[in-house]
Amino acid sequence: MRVLLTGAAGFIGSAIARRLVEAGHEVVAVDLMLDSAHGTTEPPPGVHRLDVRDAGSPEWTALLRGSDVVCHQAALVGAGVRVGDLPSYASHNDVGTASLLAAMHEAQVDRLVLASSMVVYGEGRYTCTEHGDQQPPPRAVGALESGDFENHCPACARALAWGLVPEDARLDPRSSYAASKLAQEHYASSWVRQAGAAAIALRYHNVYGPGMPRDTPYSGVAAMFRSSLERGEAPRVFEDGGQVRDFVHVDDVARANVLALEAVASGTTPRWAAYNVCSGRPVTILDVATRVAEGTGRAIDPEVTGGFRSGDVRHVVASPALAARELGFTASISPDDGLPAFATAPLRA
């Protein structure tokens, strides 16, 4: 099949492009080449430098016509914690996606795979041993300053245990980036109904691996830990290091995209569906720092700072069950193997 791939020069996009070619598919590669993501505005060979916000242009139309499916990875990413960031996220992510969907309809392309994120969930799933499932409010700054990092049961004040987050969980974005990712999903699901189309949103959890950008807003915490180690410094871990996350290797993310593209093109999944893309092997942030440090071969213990960032969530751990059942996707690279190897994997400048 012919796949138009946005964000094709990026960390995840380039891995998807390689996997698609290996699977025998044709890739039409597009990327805006934002300097904040790439450190350069010059596209690699074979990549069209285009802005999804201009998707109605003749150049876009020519690329879209004849494509079987679009894989939309292009997005402004990062924490998006400043109020001043709102217009940029709304422009690149929301207007960009809406423009692309309208252009796809005009070009008679009615199949989409969208890169979404775990951030649409906000906090993860929590349970109390006595009172069952709970939806805790944001953690109070005073409690965080005193070193109490857990969420507590509103009924009995006990610390809540985390549970696996399924795709039908409550969606509660807590940053401009998170709000923009959820808006992308809403635009895509509306387009499905209006255009008689089909789309899959893949909610990535913490992606890492070779080719990850170094020290940019697009870097994840694993890359930041690695940068500290390369400077000879101990990785600095916020809170008590007990935050639980799911870290998924970029090669597995690329494979999940190929499975989703083949599924949506063949009509074997619901017309609109969202899937967690995760390893299914939860780890604490302290474990992440420790395993990356182990991969250097040097004895450097992470520094647990007790510091915190207001707005951070305590635990977000995905359920891999739906993606396994409907896409046939199960991650093949465990954090136990992938994180130590990441310590010496090649990164982008």
Side-chain angles (χ1 to χ4, degrees):
M1 62 186 172
R2 187 174 191 251
V3 180
L4 190 145
L5 173 63
T6 72
F11 167 47
I12 296 174
S14 57
I16 294 170
R18 287 192 298 271
R19 179 74 68 162
L20 283 168
V21 171
E22 289 169 1
H25 301 299
E26 178 186 357
V27 177
V28 179
V30 178
D31 201 297
L32 178 57
M33 300 303 298
L34 283 173
D35 181 69
S36 60
H38 300 280
T40 178
T41 58
E42 290 301 314
V47 175
H48 301 269
R49 188 183 175 197
L50 294 171
D51 191 331
V52 290
R53 294 172 293 184
D54 300 326
S57 69
E59 193 170 2
W60 268 101
T61 300
L63 294 178
L64 281 166
R65 290 201 185 279
S67 295
D68 299 298
V69 61
V70 170
C71 184
H72 185 29
Q73 303 294 315
L76 188 67
V77 306
V81 295
R82 296 188 308 114
V83 173
D85 295 332
L86 281 164
S88 293
Y89 284 101
S91 175
H92 284 281
N93 298 356
D94 303 347
V95 173
T97 299
S99 300
L100 178 61
L101 293 171
M104 288 172 63
H105 183 59
E106 288 298 314
Q108 299 182 341
V109 182
D110 62 357
R111 296 291 185 267
L112 171 75
V113 170
L114 169 70
S116 188
S117 171
M118 68 176 214
V119 296
V120 300
Y121 295 121
E123 281 281 4
R125 182 183 177 194
Y126 294 92
T127 60
C128 172
T129 54
E130 183 176 350
H131 298 100
D133 288 350
Q134 300 293 324
Q135 294 181 349
R139 294 176 294 170
V141 171
L144 296 171
E145 288 175 340
S146 72
D148 179 8
F149 302 116
E150 298 295 344
N151 286 294
H152 294 270
C153 176
C156 66
R158 290 191 182 95
L160 295 170
W162 59 266
L164 296 179
V165 180
E167 286 81 352
D168 60 357
R170 181 183 68 155
L171 304 179
D172 184 22
R174 299 191 176 190
S175 69
S176 50
Y177 170 61
S180 74
K181 297 309 288 184
L182 183 53
Q184 285 183 301
E185 288 197 19
H186 288 327
Y187 279 117
S189 63
S190 297
W191 168 79
V192 164
R193 289 189 293 272
Q194 290 179 290
I200 287 173
L202 297 178
R203 293 174 180 163
Y204 304 156
H205 286 252
N206 296 270
V207 186
Y208 71 98
M212 197 170 194
R214 175 192 301 273
D215 300 329
T216 77
Y218 292 72
S219 302
V221 67
M224 295 175 184
F225 289 158
R226 173 179 158 151
S227 293
S228 296
L229 291 161
E230 289 176 342
R231 294 192 300 267
E233 303 169 0
R236 301 182 77 249
V237 178
F238 283 173
E239 302 188 14
D240 59 357
Q243 311 94 302
V244 182
R245 298 289 190 272
D246 189 297
F247 278 73
V248 58
H249 197 276
V250 68
D251 288 351
D252 281 323
V253 174
R255 188 164 53 83
N257 271 272
V258 174
L259 288 169
L261 287 161
E262 293 172 343
V264 78
S266 63
T268 58
T269 52
R271 285 180 54 208
W272 166 251
Y275 299 99
N276 289 324
V277 176
C278 58
S279 71
R281 300 171 178 87
V283 292
T284 67
I285 295 298
L286 180 57
D287 284 340
V288 173
T290 300
R291 290 173 188 176
V292 174
E294 288 170 353
T296 67
R298 293 174 290 146
I300 300 180
D301 293 326
E303 176 189 352
V304 179
T305 67
F308 63 90
R309 294 177 297 192
S310 181
D312 276 2
V313 300
R314 180 60 172 172
H315 306 302
V316 183
V317 185
S319 169
L322 189 64
R325 184 168 66 250
E326 295 190 1
L327 292 181
F329 170 73
T330 302
S332 61
I333 301 174
S334 165
D336 289 338
D337 300 320
L339 287 169
F342 177 66
T344 55
L347 300 185
R348 292 181 179 221

